[in-house]
């Protein structure tokens, strides 16, 4: 039996509590919770009255893509993340919030975690140190790592012959992360002006900006990078397939940098579910949370209204109502939300293509003929570049007969599998005791910012820079503190829980106080 994470109670009656500024936030995921939380924080920092904030969420839970579940097995509770599963140690906002809310942090995955202790030895098994690239057509390991730092280093040196410098790729990743971390410096100065477009955000971040104009394959195969095709396909592509289900000749170089970040830093999760960070943000804002409530349209209010924007929503009891707000913050992917915004005048500008994926959790015994015989299984198993059958990647979350992640052949395991199509369980398991499948539009296709892709057999094809800019932040504005703002445009650059919190914080400062000087 699957037990989904509990949710806060639904408040479905919208009654103005005071003459305070009224803010509507659409979406209760990382971006929406952060918008509510940081709106009040920004007002408090300037000694201004708090706003009356309403968060509308069409599902029955908080967290958005941070979606957790659990299953009872042999008198123990096994936890798993169905969506956004981890964040790294450099994610300052998520780490600070988890500590502030007294949540239990553990090394990813948090299958059995019930304490605040971070088991660093276990964490080593959750990084790329213990992985295998498995070719299902030949039933062979293309490459395997996880024998220990020294042997793995020797194996990489031999296999890639000087064209696979992991330290170099890590330095590139670190440089990209450090540019992103400049955002935190801005937040510490409450008098600083903010940007009004994502291109403005990138102006002082040359590596992030440049990386958007290249496919990962183009970037790393350029003469200045000295990375070979084999290393790119087996290591860098492994990271992009696991994190974004996109291969290196399609994903932007920035998407590859972000994918590799988890390989070179401590990976954390919150025991019991990452969604708890966002539930606590909404509760502590405080904001009025409306679950099972769908926003149908956003329009300008009729002349004479006290507040400039009208939201038409359908509440949990099926009743359609219209309420008025000073600010509207859209913190959900507009291409997927089905909301009519200002007569659809921005529909083309916010368009984005999202990866449709299947996530399958299974307790079962892996077939003894599925993988090459004779060796224990690595914790993370990924199929090669451009291979989608029978899956993209399989992650062993727990061995249920013994707590040894490297010895999972002989008994039931809890696994998480990403695939582009429904999984044929019989191809992977000899027996299945329980399974749960979720399909969803997970994250945008992180395409480079150019007019199109070169063909697969033409690596030298030149790109021209003609693709549109990221979606706008400001969809409408009638004053310095009144308008409609869109947070999720940033995820077309790259998509993480932390970047959503950063985006929401920037957007709220812009929405409340204008872009400054």
């Amino acid at each position: 039996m699957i037990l989904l994470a509990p949710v806060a109670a639904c408040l479905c009656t919208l009654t103005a509590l005071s003459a305070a500024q009224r803010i509507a936030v659409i979406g209760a995921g990382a971006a929406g919770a952060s918008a509510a939380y940081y709106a009040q924080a920004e007002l408090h920092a300037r000694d201004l009255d708090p706003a009356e904030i309403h968060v509308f969420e069409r599902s029955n839970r908080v967290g958005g893509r941070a979606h957790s579940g659990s299953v009872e097995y042999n008198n123990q509770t096994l936890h798993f993340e169905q969506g956004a599963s981890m964040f790294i140690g450099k994610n300052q906002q998520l780490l600070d919030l988890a500590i502030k809310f007294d949540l239990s942090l553990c090394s990813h995955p948090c299958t059995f975690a019930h304490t605040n202790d971070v088991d660093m030895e276990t964490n080593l098994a959750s990084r790329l140190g213990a992985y295998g690239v498995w070719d299902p057509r030949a039933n062979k390991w293309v490459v395997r790592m996880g024998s220990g730092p020294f042997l793995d280093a020797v194996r990489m040196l031999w296999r890639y012959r000087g064209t696979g410098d992991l330290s170099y790729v890590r330095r590139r990743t670190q440089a990209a992360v450090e540019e992103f971390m400049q955002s935190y410096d801005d937040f510490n100065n409450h008098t600083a002006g903010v940007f009004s477009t994502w291109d403005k955000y990138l102006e002082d971040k040359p590596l992030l900006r440049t990386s958007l104009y290249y496919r990962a394959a183009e970037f790393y195969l350029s003469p200045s990078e000295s990375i070979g095709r084999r290393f790119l396909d087996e290591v860098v592509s492994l990271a992009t397939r696991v994190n974004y289900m996109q291969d290196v000749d399609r994903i932007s170089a920035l998407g590859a940098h972000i994918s590799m970040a988890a390989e070179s830093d401590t990976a954390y999760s919150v025991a019991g579910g990452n969604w708890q960070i966002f539930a606590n943000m909404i509760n502590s804002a405080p904001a009025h949370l409306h679950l099972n409530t769908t926003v149908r349209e956003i329009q300008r209010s009729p002349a004479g209204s006290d507040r400039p924007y009208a939201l038409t929503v359908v509440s949990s009891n099926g009743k359609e109502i219209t309420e008025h707000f000073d600010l509207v913050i859209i913190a959900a992917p507009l291409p997927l939300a089905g909301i009519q915004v200002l007569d659809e005048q921005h529909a083309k500008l916010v368009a984005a293509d999202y990866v449709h994926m299947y996530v399958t959790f299974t307790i079962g015994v892996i077939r003894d003929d599925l993988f090459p015989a004779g060796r224990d299984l690595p914790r993370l198993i990924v199929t090669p570049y451009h291979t989608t059958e029978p899956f993209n990647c399989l992650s062993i979350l727990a061995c249920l007969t013994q707590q040894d992640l490297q010895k999972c052949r002989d008994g039931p395991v809890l696994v998480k599998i990403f695939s582009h199509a429904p999984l044929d369980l019989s191809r992977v398991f000899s027996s299945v005791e329980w399974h749960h499948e979720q399909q969803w539009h997970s994250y945008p296709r992180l395409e480079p910012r150019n007019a199109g892709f070169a063909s697969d057999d033409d690596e030298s094809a030149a790109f021209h820079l003609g693709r549109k800019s990221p979606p706008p932040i400001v969809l409408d504005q009638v004053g310095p503190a009144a308008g409609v703002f869109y947070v999720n445009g940033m995820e077309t650059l790259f998509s993480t829980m932390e970047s959503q919190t950063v985006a929401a914080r920037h957007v709220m400062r812009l929405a409340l106080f204008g872009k400054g000087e």
Side-chain angles (χ1 to χ4, degrees):
M1 176 180 180
I2 185 170
L3 304 174
L4 296 181
V7 296
C10 176
L11 300 174
C12 298
T13 301
L14 302 182
T15 303
L17 302 181
S18 67
Q21 187 176 27
R22 297 189 88 208
I23 301 174
V25 176
I26 302 171
S34 299
Y37 181 83
Y38 288 118
Q40 302 290 37
E42 293 287 346
L43 291 167
H44 178 75
R46 293 164 176 80
D47 295 322
L48 297 174
D49 292 337
E52 178 191 335
I53 300 178
H54 293 263
V55 178
F56 299 93
E57 171 56 51
R58 67 181 178 183
S59 75
N60 67 344
R61 61 180 182 81
V62 170
R65 278 170 277 189
H67 188 189
S68 307
S70 62
V71 60
E72 297 295 325
Y73 184 81
N74 282 352
N75 298 316
Q76 60 185 335
T77 302
L78 309 178
H79 299 275
F80 51 86
E81 295 289 352
Q82 297 175 240
S85 60
M86 65 182 182
F87 49 94
I88 63 174
K90 289 185 174 63
N91 289 166
Q92 293 181 14
Q93 294 195 151
L94 289 177
L95 277 177
D96 290 348
L97 289 164
I99 292 169
K100 176 178 179 178
F101 298 137
D102 197 28
L103 298 174
S104 297
L105 285 173
C106 56
S107 298
H108 174 77
C110 279
T111 310
F112 299 98
H114 300 288
T115 73
N116 284 305
D117 296 330
V118 178
D119 184 346
M120 300 308 295
E121 292 301 320
T122 299
N123 187 71
L124 293 176
S126 73
R127 292 164 55 179
L128 290 185
Y131 72 89
V133 178
W134 168 65
D135 183 353
R137 294 160 295 190
N139 192 24
K140 68 176 185 179
W141 296 112
V142 177
V143 62
R144 284 196 50 161
M145 296 293 172
S147 303
F150 177 76
L151 289 178
D152 283 350
V154 171
R155 185 177 290 121
M156 292 190 75
L157 181 63
W158 173 255
R159 183 164 183 81
Y160 303 117
R161 313 291 173 84
T163 65
D165 188 344
L166 184 57
S167 296
Y168 177 79
V169 175
R170 285 171 173 167
R171 289 194 297 273
R172 279 294 200 181
T173 297
Q174 177 65 20
V177 170
E178 287 177 355
E179 285 191 354
F180 172 69
M181 291 173 66
Q182 294 174 22
S183 302
Y184 304 131
D185 296 332
D186 295 337
F187 295 143
N188 292 329
N189 181 1
H190 288 282
T191 63
V194 295
F195 52 85
S196 56
T197 69
W198 296 118
D199 281 332
K200 287 286 186 183
Y201 171 74
L202 293 170
E203 277 187 351
D204 61 348
K205 301 172 179 62
L207 179 57
L208 298 187
R209 186 176 67 251
T210 302
S211 298
L212 284 172
Y213 287 100
Y214 296 92
R215 296 174 293 168
E218 290 177 313
F219 184 91
Y220 279 114
L221 293 178
S222 64
S224 62
E225 298 297 311
S226 300
I227 297 298
R229 184 81 222 190
R230 173 180 279 184
F231 182 84
L232 183 75
D233 292 349
E234 295 177 0
V235 177
V236 180
S237 191
L238 179 148
T240 63
R241 287 167 68 83
V242 169
N243 284 278
Y244 292 119
M245 284 187 73
Q246 296 169 61
D247 282 314
V248 289
D249 67 345
R250 290 294 182 261
I251 197 169
S252 70
L254 178 54
H257 296 329
I258 300 303
S259 298
M260 290 295 293
E263 188 277 332
S264 57
D265 199 351
T266 303
Y268 295 97
S269 295
V270 174
N274 294 324
W275 66 273
Q276 296 170 90
I277 295 176
F278 310 119
N280 276 279
M281 293 177 83
I282 291 173
N283 290 337
S284 64
H288 306 281
L289 175 62
H290 308 274
L291 298 175
N292 298 302
T293 303
T294 301
V295 177
R296 284 196 173 171
E297 67 176 15
I298 304 164
Q299 299 294 346
R300 288 275 191 99
S301 296
S305 174
D306 291 338
R307 305 184 191 274
Y309 294 100
L311 264 68
T312 301
V313 304
V314 179
S315 64
S316 57
N317 60 11
K319 182 179 179 181
E320 184 174 287
I321 59 176
T322 299
E323 287 290 326
H324 299 271
F325 294 89
D326 299 293
L327 280 174
V328 180
I329 309 299
I330 302 172
L334 267 176
L336 307 176
I339 304 171
Q340 182 177 338
V341 182
L342 303 170
D343 299 319
E344 302 294 348
Q345 64 190 45
H346 296 289
K348 291 184 178 180
L349 295 177
V350 302
D353 186 21
Y354 283 73
V355 175
H356 184 259
M357 65 182 292
Y358 291 79
V359 186
T360 305
F361 296 87
T362 305
I363 295 177
V365 178
I366 295 175
R367 288 177 49 160
D368 58 12
D369 61 346
L370 181 65
F371 301 114
R375 297 185 65 182
D376 299 328
L377 297 178
R379 197 195 72 81
L380 177 63
I381 300 170
V382 183
T383 51
Y385 170 80
H386 275 190
T387 303
T388 60
E389 292 289 341
F391 51 72
N392 274 55
C393 65
L394 180 153
S395 179
I396 298 173
L397 302 181
C399 299
L400 301 177
T401 53
Q402 52 186 329
Q403 296 311 307
D404 185 344
L405 291 173
Q406 305 303 315
K407 298 179 180 178
C408 297
R409 282 188 179 272
D410 301 327
V413 293
L414 171 64
V415 300
K416 177 180 183 177
I417 300 176
F418 287 172
S419 59
H420 285 289
L423 182 70
D424 181 355
L425 295 175
S426 67
R427 289 189 64 184
V428 180
F429 301 94
S430 60
S431 64
V432 172
E433 299 183 51
W434 168 88
H435 82 280
H436 170 70
E437 179 188 90
Q438 172 185 322
Q439 58 173 308
W440 57 314
H441 290 88
S442 48
Y443 13 67
R445 295 190 185 278
L446 300 177
E447 302 171 353
R449 291 177 58 181
N450 36 57
F453 292 114
S455 62
D456 290 340
D457 58 355
D458 185 6
E459 292 292 341
S460 64
F463 277 33
H464 60 281
L465 307 182
R467 192 173 182 271
K468 64 181 182 298
S469 295
I473 296 173
V474 183
L475 301 187
D476 190 56
Q477 194 159 9
V478 296
V484 179
F485 297 82
Y486 184 43
V487 177
N488 287 64
M490 186 178 182
E491 69 179 7
T492 63
L493 308 179
F494 64 94
S495 180
T496 66
M497 288 186 288
E498 181 78 356
S499 61
Q500 289 292 83
T501 68
V502 166
R505 194 169 180 181
H506 274 300
V507 169
M508 287 313 309
R509 187 174 287 187
L510 172 68
L512 290 168
F513 310 111
K515 62 183 180 180
E517 298 298 321

